Amino acid sequence: FGFVGWVFSLSPATDSEGRAKASSLAGLEDIDDKLEAMEKMTPEEADEYQMRRGGLKREKPEKQKEEFQFIAIPGADTLYTVLQEGTEGAATVQPGDEVTVHATGLVTQTKTKFWSTKDAGQQPFTYTCGGGVIKGWDMGARGMTKGEIRGLRIPASEGYGGRGFPSWGIPPNADLLFEIEVLEIKRNGQPV
């Protein structure tokens, strides 16, 4: 049924009340020949056939969603993608910097949000790069500039591992997704 079913599904044979359309009955006397010819059509030929019959309207192709390009981080299994570029030429996050961010975390397997600084009652989070947060976050934020937003794919081994974080709803061995936005970077107590 495959291809033929797909072609016929493009033009309903009944009206809104379920009655057969006259055009759907026309030409049924040689349906076997038509079905055999349609089985040999490419999808493009089938589209053209439907256009001639009036059963398919040519539309502008939908814009494809951009695929995220995840980048490997030297010395880590965490991957990142840049969701928004930061300030060009600005200082980047380095070990020892005090970094203030907006962060949202989800459990990959369930897509359940467990924390966000953007939630009501929350505020931006400040940590020291080089050990103030889980390894995947720490490594994934290095090199970011003010205003940059990254998506991080953090494996359990660089997150909360086998212990998880039950009070936050993070089960053992859960991979994590984070969105990190750098709001401020301080080096030696001074904004950079």
Side-chain angles (χ1 to χ4, degrees), residues 1-151:
F1 197 75
F3 179 71
V4 173
W6 170 76
V7 172
F8 278 106
S9 73
L10 296 175
S11 178
T14 58
D15 63 19
S16 62
E17 296 177 4
R19 294 184 302 249
K21 291 181 183 177
S23 65
S24 69
L25 301 175
L28 285 180
E29 60 279 356
D30 62 344
I31 190 68
D32 289 333
D33 293 337
K34 287 182 179 179
L35 288 174
E36 185 176 327
M38 289 174 67
E39 283 288 346
K40 296 175 184 173
M41 288 182 188
T42 67
E44 292 78 18
E45 291 168 332
D47 285 351
E48 192 58 41
Y49 174 75
Q50 285 288 8
M51 292 284 292
R52 286 194 308 272
R53 289 186 62 231
L56 181 68
K57 303 292 185 251
R58 191 174 303 274
E59 297 177 6
K60 293 180 182 178
E62 288 185 33
K63 188 175 180 180
Q64 296 293 320
K65 290 184 178 181
E66 291 183 35
E67 284 291 317
F68 293 113
Q69 297 290 327
F70 281 90
I71 302 165
I73 300 167
D77 292 325
T78 293
L79 302 173
Y80 77 91
T81 187
V82 176
L83 302 174
Q84 176 182 297
E85 296 289 338
T87 306
E88 190 174 332
T92 61
V93 174
Q94 304 294 322
D97 288 347
E98 184 178 290
V99 187
T100 301
V101 299
H102 269 310
T104 300
L106 292 92
V107 175
T108 302
Q109 291 84 342
T110 63
K111 305 295 187 272
T112 303
K113 179 175 69 173
F114 57 85
W115 178 63
S116 178
T117 60
K118 295 180 180 183
D119 286 347
Q122 295 290 317
Q123 57 188 359
F125 179 76
T126 301
Y127 72 98
T128 301
C129 180
V133 290
I134 57 175
K135 180 180 179 180
W137 173 341
D138 186 66
M139 297 296 285
R142 292 182 188 192
M144 291 180 74
T145 59
K146 184 176 179 178
E148 185 175 341
I149 302 174
R150 285 187 185 178

Side-chain angles (χ1 to χ4, degrees), residues 154-177:
I154 303 173
S157 61
E158 294 180 357
Y160 295 100
R163 69 185 185 284
F165 200 131
S167 63
W168 278 19
I170 301 171
N173 300 310
D175 297 335
L176 306 174
L177 298 172

